[in-house]
Every structure is written in structure tokens, then in C-alpha cells.
């Protein structure tokens, strides 16, 4: 008998769940009042990465002479044209998702869903939809405290920024996470003077400290002001902009402010508490390893369950939840080996434990590093900023984490993700021949360095004691 899966939310969790369930023979109803693709496609990953690519091209063109190229005239950013470019990419991918759903005969019901239990969803204007299982995939929204709403024309979240018709001369960013740091580099490349105010000591505090140090150094080199250890308590409108207050003192001011202090799961107004669904302290839906809630038939996938706020993690969780709901063979995800990609300038790719985390876990750590500037490919590309870092257990040789910052880091990290998932040792990298000249050689060199000697680094010589030197 064909099973019916109802999915509430059409982002990278919802539409992937729909696609996968339909491919497995299920009848699928996808409920979302908005165009499919979610925040990732319409306001997050895709438009921001389009802007990052444009900014990378802009910076290369500004350095054209270093490549032996002579451009006539200056190269200047065109913000409306950049927004239009992002809009075209969004439109193209949205059309692709709609075509995919049509091909799989997924029924898209445009309305807001209210969960009644694990088998029924009430949809505004469409009545009650009954199913064998219900997946909640409603994502998350940016947090904007009431004390920060000084002037909604000048104080925005990442959901609003792409609607700007013009760019400010001065921008204040509150936050130190992925969104805050990515937009700091984007706006700086476009000629905006950026100040970033963070609660933590360094940008991207969750990543390896050596990688974060490169980010902070690049911010300083580019003129991005980074104010650390500062908890902004409120924002106040002034005639020509906004000021940030901490301890009743002005700590920064700008024409406009981007608030990027985190995201909140979209669970409000869905009838979850009335249905008896357990929620965590941030409003996230509590799930087990198979993405099941405490209600029979009800699953929660992606940002809404608060487990890992990554689009690709949401998609992986979606496949798992569908397999479990359909009774297919499946196993919980190992979320510790899901890679991260951060599109600062340069970009970051990382997976597994940081050196600090590995030490806290009790490992005898050996970490190897290699600067990209030591690679022929990096020199040829004039992409010298960055490094690769390999974290291993010195006793067992087991690979614990790989962290990369530099050109194409987000693409290179998957070599490490595969090895970590397999529980490989560092020798799996050093004994794999890496093509030359490539940027991936940095991972090989860093792995060799973790073992003691990297071919293209100064030789590590053991200290000779004076007594040993005597004849």
C-alpha cells in the first residue's frame, strides 16, 4: 500500500524530503505558502554566495595588472545589477525545484500548515490533510530583539538586506558568526566602511583558532574594524544613522545596522504545544537520532530541530527521516563529520574536531599546518592567503579534523569528510598521491607536517644535547 507523506515547509529540508519520498514511491504533499526553496534559496545561501562570487571577480579585476592584464578605465560595483544577477540565479533554481516536484508528482499546497498530530495537518484555505507521517521542515528566522528595533529602515537582518536599493557608506554589523562575517567581507569589497561588533574574542568563534586568526588578520588588512568582547544591549536612532549602546555607552555608529546574532526555529503559531510536541529552550523541536518527535508519525527536520543549522545537514536529515517513515533501512547521521563552508574572503572549509576540541576530548594531539603560499598553484593564481590544518591523534594516527582557509576551501574539504566518516588515519592522506599543481596539495603537506616532516616546509631537526655531542 502506498504511503502518504505530508511535509510542512519547502526549503532544503522540505523539498529534498519530498523529492526523496516520491522517488521511493510515496504519495507526497508539500505544504508551504511561499515559493519553494526556503531561506537558503531566496534570502540566504544562494544570493549571498552569488554576491561573494561577484566580489571575488571584482577584486581580481582590481588586481588585473598583477596578472599581466591591462584594463582601460576603472572597475566599479553596480549594486542594482548585482541584485539582479542574484535574482536571476534564484529564479533559475526555483524553476528547477518546481520542475523537480512536477516530475515526481509532488502536490504543492500553498498555505500555512498547523500540526494537529503526527498524521494530520490543517492548512489555511485547504482544510485538513491526513497522512501516514508528517515532516516539519519550517526552518528558522533571524533574531531581532525589541531593543534593537530602532528604525526598521536602517536596522535590518539578512532577510532584509538584499532589498536595499542603495548601499550605505558606513555599516555596523552586530554579531560574529557566519552571516556577520560573510556580509562584512561582501560590503567591504563593495566600498562600504564596515564595523563588526562581537560578543566573543574572535570572529567565527566556533571554528579552529588558527583559521579564525587568518580571518581576523584579513579583516584588519582590508580595513574592517572588529570590536570584540562587546555585548550590544540596544540600538538607538540618531538623525543620520544608528548608534550601538553597551553599558550605557556608545560603542559604534553607522548609517545602517545589520543584526546577525543568530536564528530562531520557526515553531511559533503551528499548534505544536497544543499537539503535545516537546520544544527546547530556544523553541526548537526535540528529536531523536531518526528525527522523530515524541508524537507517533511526526518528524522534525533541519533548522527547526536546532541540531545543526546547515542547509546540507537539513537535506541529509530529510532523507533519513523519509527512510525511517517509510520503513526503509537507515541509521542515525554522524553529525560530527558533516563539513562546514563559510564564504568569507578567503573562504573556509572545515570538518571534524578543532585542535582545541580534540585536546578537551582527551586526545594526544598532533597538528600539521601548511600555508597556501607554498604551493605553485596558489602562486600561479595569486591566491596566497590561507592555510590547511590537519588535526590527528598522535598515538593512534587517527584523523580528527581538517580545517582549510583559502581559495576553493569549501570544495577541497570533502576529501577529509570522506576519510573522517570512514575513521581513517592521517596516513590515508599522506599515502594518497595528490595531483600537482593543485591547491589540494596543502592538505597532503599539512598531513605530512602532522607526522613530523612536510616535504615543502623547513626541516624539523631534533635538538642535540651538549653531552651527546661530546666525543
Amino acid at each position: 500500500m502506498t504511503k502518504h507523506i505530508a511535509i510542512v515547509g519547502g526549503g532544503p529540508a522540505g523539498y529534498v524530503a519530498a523529492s526523496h519520498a516520491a522517488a521511493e514511491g510515496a504519495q507526497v504533499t508539500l505544504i508551504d505558502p511561499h515559493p519553494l526553496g526556503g531561506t537558503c534559496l531566496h534570502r540566504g545561501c544562494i544570493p549571498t554566495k552569488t554576491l561573494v562570487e561577484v566580489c571575488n571577480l571584482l577584486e581580481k579585476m582590481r588586481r588585473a595588472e598583477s596578472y599581466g592584464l591591462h584594463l582601460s578605465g576603472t572597475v566599479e560595483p553596480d549594486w542594482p545589477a548585482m541584485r539582479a544577477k542574484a535574482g536571476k540565479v534564484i529564479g533559475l533554481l526555483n524553476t528547477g525545484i518546481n520542475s523537480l516536484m512536477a516530475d515526481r508528482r509532488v502536490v504543492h499546497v500553498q498555505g500555512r500548515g498547523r500540526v494537529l498530530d503526527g498524521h494530520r495537518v490543517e492548512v489555511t484555505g485547504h482544510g485538513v490533510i491526513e497522512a501516514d507521517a508528517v515532516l516539519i521542515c519550517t526552518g528558522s528566522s533571524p533574531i531581532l530583539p525589541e531593543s534593537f528595533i530602532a528604525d526598521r529602515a536602517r536596522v535590518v537582518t539578512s532577510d532584509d538586506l538584499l532589498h536595499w536599493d542603495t548601499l550605505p557608506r558606513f555599516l555596523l554589523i552586530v554579531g560574529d558568526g557566519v552571516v556577520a562575517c560573510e556580509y562584512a567581507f561582501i560590503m567591504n569589497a563593495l566600498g562600504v566602511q564596515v564595523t563588526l561588533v562581537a560578543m566573543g574574542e574572535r570572529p567565527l568563534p566556533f571554528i579552529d583558532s588558527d583559521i579564525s586568526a587568518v580571518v581576523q588578520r584579513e579583516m584588519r588588512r582590508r580595513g574592517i574594524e572588529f570590536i570584540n568582547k562587546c555585548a550590544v544591549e540596544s540600538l538607538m536612532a540618531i538623525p543620520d544613522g544608528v548608534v550601538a549602546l553597551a553599558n550605557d555607552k556608545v560603542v559604534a555608529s553607522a548609517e545602517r545596522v545589520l543584526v546577525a546574532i543568530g536564528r530562531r526555529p520557526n515553531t511559533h503559531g503551528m499548534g505544536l504545544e497544543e499537539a503535545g510536541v516537546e520544544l527546547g529552550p530556544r523553541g526548537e523541536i526535540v528529536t531523536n537520532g531518526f528525527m522523530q518527535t515524541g508524537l507517533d508519525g511526526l518528524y522534525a527536520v533541519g533548522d527547526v530541530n536546532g541540531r545543526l543549522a546547515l542547509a546540507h545537514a537539513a537535506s541529509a536529515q530529510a532523507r533519513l527521516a523519509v527512510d525511517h517513515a517509510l520503513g526503509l533501512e537507515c541509521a542515525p547521521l554522524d553529525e560530527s563529520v558533516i563539513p562546514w563552508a563559510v564564504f568569507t574572503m578567503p573562504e573556509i572549509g572545515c570538518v571534524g574536531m578543532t585542535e582545541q576540541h580534540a585536546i578537551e576530548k582527551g586526545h594526544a594531539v598532533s597538528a600539521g599546518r601548511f600555508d597556501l603560499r607554498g604551493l605553485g598553484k596558489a602562486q600561479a593564481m595569486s591566491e596566497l592567503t590561507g592555510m590547511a590544518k590537519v588535526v590527528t591523534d598522535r598515538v593512534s594516527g587517527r584523523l580528527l579534523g581538517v580545517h582549510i582557509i583559502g581559495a576553493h576551501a569549501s570544495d577541497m574539504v570533502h576529501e577529509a569528510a570522506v576519510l573522517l566518516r570512514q575513521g581513517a588515519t592521517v596516513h590515508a592522506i599522506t599515502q594518497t598521491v595528490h595531483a600537482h599543481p593543485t591547491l589540494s596539495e596543502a592538505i597532503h603537506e599539512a598531513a605530512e607536517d602532522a607526522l613530523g616532516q612536510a616535504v615543502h616546509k623547513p626541516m624539523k631537526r631534533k635538538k642535540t644535547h651538549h653531552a651527546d655531542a661530546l666525543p
Side-chain angles (χ1 to χ4, degrees):
M1 181 177 175
T2 301
K3 287 192 174 182
H4 180 200
I5 305 292
I7 301 166
V8 184
Y15 85 78
V16 168
S19 178
H20 182 56
E24 292 293 342
Q27 176 190 348
V28 182
T29 301
L30 183 55
I31 303 160
D32 196 320
H34 307 294
L36 300 181
T39 294
C40 178
L41 174 57
H42 296 280
R43 299 175 297 282
C45 317
I46 300 306
T48 56
K49 277 52 181 185
T50 303
L51 294 178
V52 167
E53 286 304 312
V54 173
C55 290
N56 282 330
L57 177 59
L58 175 63
E59 294 199 336
K60 279 190 177 243
M61 293 180 75
R62 286 170 172 168
R63 294 186 281 118
E65 288 195 2
S66 69
Y67 291 91
L69 301 174
H70 296 282
L71 301 180
S72 58
T74 59
V75 180
E76 299 296 336
D78 183 337
W79 175 247
M82 291 172 66
R83 286 179 58 207
K85 163 68 175 174
K88 287 180 181 178
V89 173
I90 292 168
L92 178 66
L93 294 177
N94 178 246
T95 298
I97 293 172
N98 290 336
S99 298
L100 191 66
M101 296 300 100
D103 173 72
R104 282 160 164 71
R105 295 183 174 85
V106 172
V107 177
H108 178 197
V109 176
Q110 291 191 282
R112 295 190 178 278
R114 181 179 175 85
V115 174
L116 301 180
D117 53 40
H119 302 282
R120 296 180 303 152
V121 180
E122 183 179 22
V123 184
T124 305
H126 297 273
V128 175
I129 294 174
E130 297 187 1
D132 294 287
V134 174
L135 273 62
I136 304 174
C137 307
T138 48
S140 61
S141 299
I143 296 172
L144 185 61
E146 288 188 11
S147 61
F148 282 18
I149 306 175
D151 181 340
R152 287 300 281 122
R154 294 175 180 170
V155 178
V156 302
T157 68
S158 56
D159 278 1
D160 313 308
L161 189 146
L162 288 168
H163 297 301
W164 282 347
D165 293 324
T166 60
L167 296 179
R169 290 178 303 158
F170 303 96
L171 175 65
L172 169 63
I173 300 177
V174 182
D176 55 16
V178 173
V179 173
C181 291
E182 287 183 350
Y183 268 116
F185 282 95
I186 290 170
M187 291 296 148
N188 172 263
L190 298 179
V192 178
Q193 181 62 53
V194 178
T195 298
L196 195 151
V197 180
M199 288 185 64
E201 186 174 351
R202 56 192 175 95
L204 302 171
F206 59 90
I207 67 172
D208 191 274
S209 60
D210 284 342
I211 304 300
S212 180
V214 177
V215 174
Q216 192 163 358
R217 188 177 70 225
E218 276 300 293
M219 285 183 172
R220 187 163 53 246
R221 187 180 72 81
R222 292 166 181 259
I224 299 171
E225 184 181 7
F226 181 75
I227 301 174
N228 66 356
K229 299 179 182 178
C230 181
V232 174
E233 296 168 348
S234 63
L235 299 172
M236 183 173 68
I238 56 177
D240 56 350
V242 182
V243 296
L245 302 172
N247 296 321
D248 296 324
K249 295 181 180 179
V250 174
V251 294
S253 62
E255 289 179 26
R256 300 179 206 167
V257 180
L258 168 63
V259 178
I261 57 174
R263 299 179 66 86
R264 181 179 291 113
N266 290 331
T267 53
H268 181 71
M270 292 186 62
L272 298 176
E273 292 176 299
E274 294 88 336
V277 178
E278 182 184 357
L279 301 180
R282 295 181 295 110
E284 73 277 16
I285 300 175
V286 177
T287 60
N288 65 13
F290 293 101
M291 308 302 135
Q292 290 176 290
T293 71
L295 290 187
D296 177 62
L298 187 66
Y299 296 76
V301 179
D303 284 13
V304 77
N305 65 27
R307 299 176 72 96
L308 202 58
L310 297 168
H312 48 284
S315 297
Q317 291 176 6
R319 295 185 185 93
L320 171 61
V322 165
D323 286 345
H324 192 271
L326 295 179
L328 303 176
E329 184 177 350
C330 57
L333 293 171
D334 183 353
E335 295 174 342
S336 70
V337 295
I338 293 177
W340 285 72
V342 183
F343 293 88
T344 45
M345 296 179 188
E347 67 186 43
I348 299 165
C350 53
V351 63
M353 297 184 198
T354 66
E355 181 177 6
Q356 298 85 350
H357 186 206
I359 292 171
E360 291 168 3
K361 286 285 188 179
H363 291 278
V365 171
S366 177
R369 302 162 182 81
F370 193 81
D371 290 338
L372 294 191
R373 66 176 55 251
L375 300 175
K377 181 64 177 292
Q379 292 288 343
M381 295 169 64
S382 293
E383 295 287 355
L384 308 183
T385 301
M387 63 177 291
K389 179 175 180 178
V390 172
V391 181
T392 69
D393 185 292
R394 188 169 61 248
V395 178
S396 66
R398 183 185 166 198
L399 189 64
L400 301 177
V402 174
H403 311 274
I404 312 164
I405 181 168
H408 303 296
S410 63
D411 300 312
M412 291 193 291
V413 73
H414 296 95
E415 169 185 353
V418 171
L419 294 175
L420 280 167
R421 188 173 182 276
Q422 294 175 337
T425 68
V426 66
H427 300 284
I429 297 177
T430 60
Q431 294 172 4
T432 298
V433 178
H434 288 62
H436 173 77
T438 63
L439 297 178
S440 292
E441 289 177 283
I443 302 174
H444 187 274
E445 295 277 354
E448 286 188 333
D449 189 49
L451 291 176
Q453 297 292 349
V455 170
H456 291 95
K457 288 188 72 171
M459 186 171 174
K460 294 179 180 178
R461 291 178 169 82
K462 295 181 180 179
K463 292 182 179 179
T464 302
H465 294 291
H466 179 68
D468 297 333
L470 295 175

